[in-house]
Amino acid sequence: MAKQTGLFQFTGKLDNVIGYRRNGSYFVRTMPVTVKQTAATRQASRNFGIASRKAKLIRQAITPQLEINCDGSLVNRLNKVLITAGKDQWKHLEGFRFNKHTGIDKFFWLQPVMQNGTLKIPAQTLSPQGAITHLEITVMTTRISFVERRIIKQHSTTIKVDLNAPFNGAELNASVPGKGTLLVVLQVTAWKGTDPVGDRRFMAADILFVAPPATKKEAAKRKQHIPDVRKVLPYRPAKTPGSPVVRTANKWQRE
């Protein structure tokens, strides 16, 4: 490690030299001739790349729809969930907060559930939120193909809830048919009269539900349950004038 003392100081790679900044001073070091990687480090590098690409797609799909300002830790937090979860990464995504300071449990003590493409929020007594008069509730549903690395389809539904009136529950459409992974995000923002409250303590956006695409084995299993109408429906030949058709014990025949 050598300290840079010249007039032009730099960071980054220059030929086989790397410049970097530490504690306000600039230093240089030479690049190693070879970098040894074990099988474990190569696998970890691949896993990190896969998780990072998936996380980027999720952010590209969800954050443009949000009305909250996500903090700078979003990238690392989302990457960490996907990397550490392994094969069960989709289940670990459920409950992820885009706003790390507040979750939807701040507003609902009975949590929403997904049933047949509908997000159902149970009837309950909503907690008073100071001078806040309304809650704006938005369910955002997204289909993402991580294989094709693209957002397939999106849909959102929004309602407003008056905190001065009884809350009798709500049912919000969260159905987006098609292939790919399904993500359902619920966003809750607080309003005071006709203006939104710009306080992150009263803004939440959580991933509530994730459904990965069906595997080939699951798709084949569903296909086996589709009945063959040719085997279910009996054979009924067309009748011709003067030649009625009758049914015997084993087959259809003409009189």
Side-chain angles (χ1 to χ4, degrees):
M1 179 178 69
K3 188 175 183 180
Q4 299 183 41
T5 58
L7 181 62
F8 299 102
Q9 298 169 329
F10 72 99
T11 60
K13 180 182 174 183
L14 180 63
D15 292 332
N16 66 334
V17 176
I18 297 176
Y20 60 98
R21 187 171 184 262
R22 177 183 295 176
N23 298 327
S25 298
Y26 291 84
F27 301 88
V28 293
R29 62 181 175 85
T30 58
M31 293 180 60
V33 178
T34 58
V35 178
K36 295 182 179 180
Q37 280 191 325
T38 64
T41 56
R42 286 194 296 269
Q43 184 61 47
S45 178
R46 285 194 293 268
N47 292 342
F48 178 81
I50 293 171
S52 297
R53 288 191 294 270
K54 290 181 177 180
K56 183 179 179 180
L57 267 175
I58 293 173
R59 295 196 309 273
Q60 290 175 338
I62 304 301
T63 53
Q65 303 182 71
L66 299 179
E67 295 182 5
I68 65 176
N69 293 322
C70 299
D71 59 89
S73 68
L74 174 62
V75 174
N76 290 334
R77 290 191 296 113
L78 190 54
N79 285 348
K80 184 178 180 180
V81 171
L82 292 175
I83 292 170
T84 58
K87 294 182 179 180
D88 295 328
Q89 57 189 205
W90 303 126
K91 287 298 178 184
H92 282 74
L93 268 179
E94 294 180 352
F96 179 83
R97 295 179 176 181
F98 285 90
N99 175 18
K100 68 177 182 179
H101 303 283
T102 308
I104 61 170
D105 54 352
K106 177 181 179 67
F107 305 99
F108 303 112
W109 60 276
L110 288 177
Q111 293 299 293
V113 295
M114 278 286 293
Q115 291 183 358
N116 300 322
T118 300
L119 185 70
K120 297 184 177 182
I121 306 176
Q124 55 193 286
T125 302
L126 300 179
S127 302
Q129 304 290 338
I132 294 170
T133 59
H134 295 77
L135 295 179
E136 185 178 83
I137 302 172
T138 303
V139 58
M140 293 167 281
T141 315
T142 303
R143 284 273 182 192
I144 301 176
S145 174
F146 292 103
V147 175
E148 301 175 4
R149 300 184 187 179
R150 67 185 182 94
I151 301 164
I152 297 176
K153 192 175 181 181
Q154 294 178 295
H155 173 78
S156 64
T157 304
T158 300
I159 62 172
K160 275 193 175 182
V161 175
D162 187 350
L163 293 179
N164 296 317
F167 179 63
N168 299 318
E171 295 186 1
L172 304 174
N173 179 26
S175 176
V176 176
K179 298 180 180 180
T181 301
L182 178 71
L183 284 89
V184 179
V185 175
L186 185 65
Q187 176 182 262
V188 181
T189 56
W191 287 61
K192 184 178 179 181
T194 58
D195 300 317
V197 176
D199 190 332
R200 66 187 182 186
R201 296 175 301 169
F202 300 99
M203 300 177 176
D206 298 358
I207 298 178
L208 291 190
F209 179 74
V210 182
T215 63
K216 292 182 178 180
K217 186 176 181 180
E218 292 170 339
K221 187 176 181 181
R222 286 202 298 265
K223 189 176 180 180
Q224 291 175 358
H225 287 81
I226 300 176
D228 189 343
V229 294
R230 294 173 297 180
K231 297 179 180 179
V232 175
L233 299 178
Y235 171 66
R236 288 182 171 85
K239 293 183 179 181
T240 58
S243 179
V245 179
V246 296
R247 178 77 182 268
T248 65
N250 299 318
K251 62 181 180 179
W252 291 85
Q253 68 180 21
R254 300 187 182 279
E255 288 184 335

